[in-house]
mmCIF file of all heavy atoms in Angstrom:
data_model
loop_
_atom_site.group_PDB
_atom_site.id
_atom_site.type_symbol
_atom_site.label_atom_id
_atom_site.label_comp_id
_atom_site.label_asym_id
_atom_site.label_seq_id
_atom_site.Cartn_x
_atom_site.Cartn_y
_atom_site.Cartn_z
ATOM 1 N N ALA A 1 -0.266 5.839 2.759
ATOM 2 C CA ALA A 1 0.315 4.978 1.724
ATOM 3 C C ALA A 1 0.242 5.633 0.354
ATOM 4 O O ALA A 1 1.221 5.613 -0.408
ATOM 5 C CB ALA A 1 -0.413 3.632 1.713
ATOM 6 N N THR A 2 -0.884 6.240 0.031
ATOM 7 C CA THR A 2 -1.051 6.858 -1.280
ATOM 8 C C THR A 2 -0.118 8.048 -1.452
ATOM 9 O O THR A 2 0.526 8.217 -2.504
ATOM 10 C CB THR A 2 -2.507 7.293 -1.484
ATOM 11 O OG1 THR A 2 -3.355 6.139 -1.398
ATOM 12 C CG2 THR A 2 -2.699 7.943 -2.842
ATOM 13 N N VAL A 3 -0.007 8.885 -0.423
ATOM 14 C CA VAL A 3 0.914 10.025 -0.479
ATOM 15 C C VAL A 3 2.351 9.534 -0.648
ATOM 16 O O VAL A 3 3.123 10.087 -1.448
ATOM 17 C CB VAL A 3 0.773 10.895 0.786
ATOM 18 C CG1 VAL A 3 1.907 11.913 0.879
ATOM 19 C CG2 VAL A 3 -0.574 11.611 0.794
ATOM 20 N N ALA A 4 2.716 8.501 0.087
ATOM 21 C CA ALA A 4 4.068 7.961 -0.011
ATOM 22 C C ALA A 4 4.342 7.383 -1.393
ATOM 23 O O ALA A 4 5.427 7.574 -1.962
ATOM 24 C CB ALA A 4 4.271 6.887 1.062
ATOM 25 N N LEU A 5 3.365 6.687 -1.951
ATOM 26 C CA LEU A 5 3.534 6.125 -3.285
ATOM 27 C C LEU A 5 3.680 7.228 -4.337
ATOM 28 O O LEU A 5 4.500 7.122 -5.257
ATOM 29 C CB LEU A 5 2.348 5.219 -3.622
ATOM 30 C CG LEU A 5 2.318 3.893 -2.855
ATOM 31 C CD1 LEU A 5 0.924 3.276 -2.877
ATOM 32 C CD2 LEU A 5 3.338 2.910 -3.442
ATOM 33 N N LYS A 6 2.935 8.292 -4.202
ATOM 34 C CA LYS A 6 3.077 9.416 -5.121
ATOM 35 C C LYS A 6 4.451 10.058 -5.014
ATOM 36 O O LYS A 6 4.970 10.620 -5.991
ATOM 37 C CB LYS A 6 1.982 10.456 -4.845
ATOM 38 C CG LYS A 6 0.590 10.017 -5.278
ATOM 39 C CD LYS A 6 -0.450 11.084 -4.966
ATOM 40 C CE LYS A 6 -1.836 10.658 -5.435
ATOM 41 N NZ LYS A 6 -2.870 11.674 -5.093
ATOM 42 N N ALA A 7 5.048 9.965 -3.827
ATOM 43 C CA ALA A 7 6.389 10.518 -3.616
ATOM 44 C C ALA A 7 7.482 9.563 -4.098
ATOM 45 O O ALA A 7 8.661 9.931 -4.078
ATOM 46 C CB ALA A 7 6.602 10.847 -2.141
ATOM 47 N N GLY A 8 7.093 8.354 -4.491
ATOM 48 C CA GLY A 8 8.061 7.456 -5.111
ATOM 49 C C GLY A 8 8.459 6.229 -4.339
ATOM 50 O O GLY A 8 9.391 5.526 -4.735
ATOM 51 N N VAL A 9 7.778 5.894 -3.219
ATOM 52 C CA VAL A 9 8.196 4.696 -2.478
ATOM 53 C C VAL A 9 7.905 3.444 -3.297
ATOM 54 O O VAL A 9 7.023 3.431 -4.158
ATOM 55 C CB VAL A 9 7.529 4.596 -1.080
ATOM 56 C CG1 VAL A 9 7.811 5.835 -0.260
ATOM 57 C CG2 VAL A 9 6.062 4.314 -1.199
ATOM 58 N N HIS A 10 8.637 2.396 -2.984
ATOM 59 C CA HIS A 10 8.596 1.171 -3.775
ATOM 60 C C HIS A 10 7.832 0.050 -3.098
ATOM 61 O O HIS A 10 7.547 -0.981 -3.726
ATOM 62 C CB HIS A 10 10.026 0.693 -4.033
ATOM 63 C CG HIS A 10 10.912 1.733 -4.622
ATOM 64 N ND1 HIS A 10 11.727 2.541 -3.853
ATOM 65 C CD2 HIS A 10 11.086 2.123 -5.905
ATOM 66 C CE1 HIS A 10 12.391 3.372 -4.649
ATOM 67 N NE2 HIS A 10 12.029 3.150 -5.882
ATOM 68 N N MET A 11 7.508 0.218 -1.822
ATOM 69 C CA MET A 11 6.902 -0.877 -1.060
ATOM 70 C C MET A 11 6.090 -0.277 0.088
ATOM 71 O O MET A 11 6.497 0.719 0.685
ATOM 72 C CB MET A 11 8.008 -1.786 -0.513
ATOM 73 C CG MET A 11 7.547 -2.964 0.309
ATOM 74 S SD MET A 11 8.960 -3.935 0.974
ATOM 75 C CE MET A 11 9.719 -4.547 -0.531
ATOM 76 N N ILE A 12 4.944 -0.900 0.371
ATOM 77 C CA ILE A 12 4.162 -0.569 1.553
ATOM 78 C C ILE A 12 4.228 -1.759 2.503
ATOM 79 O O ILE A 12 3.966 -2.899 2.117
ATOM 80 C CB ILE A 12 2.690 -0.254 1.199
ATOM 81 C CG1 ILE A 12 2.609 0.954 0.255
ATOM 82 C CG2 ILE A 12 1.881 -0.004 2.474
ATOM 83 C CD1 ILE A 12 3.141 2.259 0.839
ATOM 84 N N ASN A 13 4.579 -1.466 3.753
ATOM 85 C CA ASN A 13 4.697 -2.497 4.789
ATOM 86 C C ASN A 13 3.520 -2.314 5.744
ATOM 87 O O ASN A 13 3.514 -1.431 6.588
ATOM 88 C CB ASN A 13 6.034 -2.324 5.517
ATOM 89 C CG ASN A 13 6.282 -3.409 6.548
ATOM 90 O OD1 ASN A 13 5.544 -4.384 6.641
ATOM 91 N ND2 ASN A 13 7.329 -3.228 7.346
ATOM 92 N N ASP A 14 2.520 -3.175 5.597
ATOM 93 C CA ASP A 14 1.220 -2.988 6.247
ATOM 94 C C ASP A 14 1.032 -3.977 7.388
ATOM 95 O O ASP A 14 0.874 -5.182 7.165
ATOM 96 C CB ASP A 14 0.115 -3.157 5.202
ATOM 97 C CG ASP A 14 -1.279 -3.027 5.769
ATOM 98 O OD1 ASP A 14 -1.423 -2.661 6.953
ATOM 99 O OD2 ASP A 14 -2.243 -3.292 5.022
ATOM 100 N N ILE A 15 1.057 -3.474 8.623
ATOM 101 C CA ILE A 15 0.930 -4.348 9.788
ATOM 102 C C ILE A 15 -0.493 -4.860 9.995
ATOM 103 O O ILE A 15 -0.711 -5.736 10.835
ATOM 104 C CB ILE A 15 1.405 -3.653 11.076
ATOM 105 C CG1 ILE A 15 0.509 -2.467 11.416
ATOM 106 C CG2 ILE A 15 2.861 -3.228 10.956
ATOM 107 C CD1 ILE A 15 0.773 -1.883 12.796
ATOM 108 N N SER A 16 -1.466 -4.335 9.247
ATOM 109 C CA SER A 16 -2.859 -4.733 9.476
ATOM 110 C C SER A 16 -3.250 -5.991 8.723
ATOM 111 O O SER A 16 -4.291 -6.594 9.005
ATOM 112 C CB SER A 16 -3.805 -3.600 9.060
ATOM 113 O OG SER A 16 -3.972 -3.563 7.654
ATOM 114 N N GLY A 17 -2.458 -6.385 7.723
ATOM 115 C CA GLY A 17 -2.834 -7.540 6.926
ATOM 116 C C GLY A 17 -4.062 -7.316 6.067
ATOM 117 O O GLY A 17 -4.714 -8.266 5.645
ATOM 118 N N LEU A 18 -4.402 -6.046 5.811
ATOM 119 C CA LEU A 18 -5.558 -5.696 4.972
ATOM 120 C C LEU A 18 -6.862 -6.263 5.526
ATOM 121 O O LEU A 18 -7.770 -6.600 4.770
ATOM 122 C CB LEU A 18 -5.351 -6.179 3.527
ATOM 123 C CG LEU A 18 -4.210 -5.525 2.746
ATOM 124 C CD1 LEU A 18 -4.035 -6.206 1.395
ATOM 125 C CD2 LEU A 18 -4.458 -4.039 2.552
ATOM 126 N N ARG A 19 -6.971 -6.355 6.844
ATOM 127 C CA ARG A 19 -8.180 -6.935 7.419
ATOM 128 C C ARG A 19 -9.389 -6.017 7.282
ATOM 129 O O ARG A 19 -10.523 -6.490 7.216
ATOM 130 C CB ARG A 19 -7.949 -7.248 8.906
ATOM 131 C CG ARG A 19 -6.943 -8.340 9.172
ATOM 132 C CD ARG A 19 -6.951 -8.752 10.631
ATOM 133 N NE ARG A 19 -6.871 -7.618 11.536
ATOM 134 C CZ ARG A 19 -5.744 -7.042 11.936
ATOM 135 N NH1 ARG A 19 -4.591 -7.489 11.472
ATOM 136 N NH2 ARG A 19 -5.741 -6.032 12.769
ATOM 137 N N GLU A 20 -9.175 -4.716 7.271
ATOM 138 C CA GLU A 20 -10.300 -3.786 7.319
ATOM 139 C C GLU A 20 -10.473 -2.960 6.053
ATOM 140 O O GLU A 20 -11.570 -2.512 5.766
ATOM 141 C CB GLU A 20 -10.137 -2.841 8.519
ATOM 142 C CG GLU A 20 -10.099 -3.574 9.846
ATOM 143 C CD GLU A 20 -9.889 -2.628 11.019
ATOM 144 O OE1 GLU A 20 -10.011 -1.412 10.823
ATOM 145 O OE2 GLU A 20 -9.586 -3.116 12.117
ATOM 146 N N CYS A 21 -9.394 -2.723 5.306
ATOM 147 C CA CYS A 21 -9.463 -1.831 4.155
ATOM 148 C C CYS A 21 -8.400 -2.234 3.155
ATOM 149 O O CYS A 21 -7.272 -2.555 3.541
ATOM 150 C CB CYS A 21 -9.254 -0.385 4.608
ATOM 151 S SG CYS A 21 -9.218 0.827 3.269
ATOM 152 N N VAL A 22 -8.756 -2.224 1.871
ATOM 153 C CA VAL A 22 -7.801 -2.596 0.829
ATOM 154 C C VAL A 22 -7.376 -1.398 -0.008
ATOM 155 O O VAL A 22 -6.680 -1.560 -1.018
ATOM 156 C CB VAL A 22 -8.372 -3.688 -0.102
ATOM 157 C CG1 VAL A 22 -8.656 -4.959 0.685
ATOM 158 C CG2 VAL A 22 -9.615 -3.195 -0.828
ATOM 159 N N ALA A 23 -7.752 -0.182 0.403
ATOM 160 C CA ALA A 23 -7.453 1.005 -0.405
ATOM 161 C C ALA A 23 -5.953 1.200 -0.603
ATOM 162 O O ALA A 23 -5.506 1.590 -1.691
ATOM 163 C CB ALA A 23 -8.067 2.250 0.230
ATOM 164 N N SER A 24 -5.145 0.946 0.446
ATOM 165 C CA SER A 24 -3.707 1.129 0.304
ATOM 166 C C SER A 24 -3.122 0.112 -0.677
ATOM 167 O O SER A 24 -2.206 0.424 -1.446
ATOM 168 C CB SER A 24 -3.016 1.029 1.662
ATOM 169 O OG SER A 24 -3.336 -0.190 2.302
ATOM 170 N N ALA A 25 -3.646 -1.110 -0.672
ATOM 171 C CA ALA A 25 -3.188 -2.114 -1.632
ATOM 172 C C ALA A 25 -3.600 -1.735 -3.048
ATOM 173 O O ALA A 25 -2.847 -1.962 -4.004
ATOM 174 C CB ALA A 25 -3.760 -3.486 -1.267
ATOM 175 N N GLN A 26 -4.770 -1.161 -3.208
ATOM 176 C CA GLN A 26 -5.190 -0.695 -4.526
ATOM 177 C C GLN A 26 -4.244 0.380 -5.052
ATOM 178 O O GLN A 26 -3.878 0.381 -6.233
ATOM 179 C CB GLN A 26 -6.618 -0.170 -4.455
ATOM 180 C CG GLN A 26 -7.651 -1.266 -4.220
ATOM 181 C CD GLN A 26 -9.042 -0.727 -3.906
ATOM 182 O OE1 GLN A 26 -9.185 0.415 -3.462
ATOM 183 N NE2 GLN A 26 -10.055 -1.544 -4.119
ATOM 184 N N SER A 27 -3.823 1.287 -4.172
ATOM 185 C CA SER A 27 -2.856 2.314 -4.577
ATOM 186 C C SER A 27 -1.531 1.675 -4.969
ATOM 187 O O SER A 27 -0.915 2.045 -5.975
ATOM 188 C CB SER A 27 -2.632 3.317 -3.441
ATOM 189 O OG SER A 27 -3.794 4.084 -3.200
ATOM 190 N N ALA A 28 -1.072 0.718 -4.169
ATOM 191 C CA ALA A 28 0.181 0.033 -4.486
ATOM 192 C C ALA A 28 0.099 -0.666 -5.836
ATOM 193 O O ALA A 28 1.050 -0.646 -6.626
ATOM 194 C CB ALA A 28 0.531 -0.963 -3.387
ATOM 195 N N GLY A 29 -1.043 -1.286 -6.096
ATOM 196 C CA GLY A 29 -1.234 -1.951 -7.379
ATOM 197 C C GLY A 29 -1.149 -0.993 -8.552
ATOM 198 O O GLY A 29 -0.549 -1.305 -9.584
ATOM 199 N N ARG A 30 -1.729 0.198 -8.409
ATOM 200 C CA ARG A 30 -1.695 1.188 -9.495
ATOM 201 C C ARG A 30 -0.270 1.651 -9.778
ATOM 202 O O ARG A 30 0.076 1.938 -10.926
ATOM 203 C CB ARG A 30 -2.570 2.387 -9.141
ATOM 204 C CG ARG A 30 -4.062 2.113 -9.192
ATOM 205 C CD ARG A 30 -4.872 3.393 -9.194
ATOM 206 N NE ARG A 30 -4.680 4.156 -7.964
ATOM 207 C CZ ARG A 30 -5.417 4.015 -6.870
ATOM 208 N NH1 ARG A 30 -6.389 3.091 -6.847
ATOM 209 N NH2 ARG A 30 -5.217 4.744 -5.803
ATOM 210 N N PHE A 31 0.559 1.736 -8.737
ATOM 211 C CA PHE A 31 1.926 2.223 -8.910
ATOM 212 C C PHE A 31 2.928 1.097 -9.185
ATOM 213 O O PHE A 31 4.108 1.370 -9.405
ATOM 214 C CB PHE A 31 2.370 2.997 -7.667
ATOM 215 C CG PHE A 31 1.803 4.380 -7.574
ATOM 216 C CD1 PHE A 31 0.636 4.625 -6.858
ATOM 217 C CD2 PHE A 31 2.421 5.440 -8.197
ATOM 218 C CE1 PHE A 31 0.104 5.904 -6.763
ATOM 219 C CE2 PHE A 31 1.906 6.728 -8.121
ATOM 220 C CZ PHE A 31 0.742 6.963 -7.402
ATOM 221 N N GLY A 32 2.475 -0.143 -9.148
ATOM 222 C CA GLY A 32 3.382 -1.258 -9.367
ATOM 223 C C GLY A 32 4.318 -1.509 -8.204
ATOM 224 O O GLY A 32 5.413 -2.070 -8.373
ATOM 225 N N ALA A 33 3.908 -1.103 -7.005
ATOM 226 C CA ALA A 33 4.741 -1.267 -5.812
ATOM 227 C C ALA A 33 4.508 -2.622 -5.162
ATOM 228 O O ALA A 33 3.457 -3.242 -5.329
ATOM 229 C CB ALA A 33 4.438 -0.153 -4.809
ATOM 230 N N ALA A 34 5.499 -3.060 -4.410
ATOM 231 C CA ALA A 34 5.356 -4.293 -3.629
ATOM 232 C C ALA A 34 4.551 -4.000 -2.363
ATOM 233 O O ALA A 34 4.429 -2.852 -1.935
ATOM 234 C CB ALA A 34 6.726 -4.850 -3.275
ATOM 235 N N TYR A 35 4.025 -5.068 -1.761
ATOM 236 C CA TYR A 35 3.156 -4.896 -0.595
ATOM 237 C C TYR A 35 3.416 -6.008 0.409
ATOM 238 O O TYR A 35 3.363 -7.198 0.061
ATOM 239 C CB TYR A 35 1.681 -4.925 -1.015
ATOM 240 C CG TYR A 35 0.763 -4.197 -0.072
ATOM 241 C CD1 TYR A 35 0.443 -2.864 -0.282
ATOM 242 C CD2 TYR A 35 0.212 -4.836 1.036
ATOM 243 C CE1 TYR A 35 -0.399 -2.184 0.584
ATOM 244 C CE2 TYR A 35 -0.614 -4.164 1.908
ATOM 245 C CZ TYR A 35 -0.928 -2.838 1.670
ATOM 246 O OH TYR A 35 -1.755 -2.155 2.538
ATOM 247 N N VAL A 36 3.708 -5.632 1.641
ATOM 248 C CA VAL A 36 3.911 -6.596 2.727
ATOM 249 C C VAL A 36 2.633 -6.699 3.540
ATOM 250 O O VAL A 36 2.128 -5.683 4.038
ATOM 251 C CB VAL A 36 5.067 -6.163 3.651
ATOM 252 C CG1 VAL A 36 5.273 -7.206 4.758
ATOM 253 C CG2 VAL A 36 6.351 -5.955 2.865
ATOM 254 N N VAL A 37 2.117 -7.906 3.674
ATOM 255 C CA VAL A 37 0.975 -8.141 4.561
ATOM 256 C C VAL A 37 1.479 -8.866 5.798
ATOM 257 O O VAL A 37 2.156 -9.891 5.710
ATOM 258 C CB VAL A 37 -0.147 -8.939 3.868
ATOM 259 C CG1 VAL A 37 -0.829 -8.101 2.805
ATOM 260 C CG2 VAL A 37 0.365 -10.227 3.251
#
């Protein structure tokens, strides 16, 4: 997710629902990207 966000993606589509780790959501927040749980 972080590599993709650095490359310019606008949204992360996360099938896990952030049950185990929120690091990808933290990256999305820093880049102002949308996030699907």
Side-chain angles (χ1 to χ4, degrees):
T2 300
V3 169
L5 288 161
K6 288 179 178 178
V9 304
H10 307 94
M11 180 183 296
I12 299 297
N13 184 8
D14 178 7
I15 65 170
S16 79
L18 295 174
R19 293 190 310 274
E20 300 178 13
C21 177
V22 298
S24 55
Q26 291 170 338
S27 292
R30 288 195 297 270
F31 283 94
Y35 205 93
V36 181
V37 290

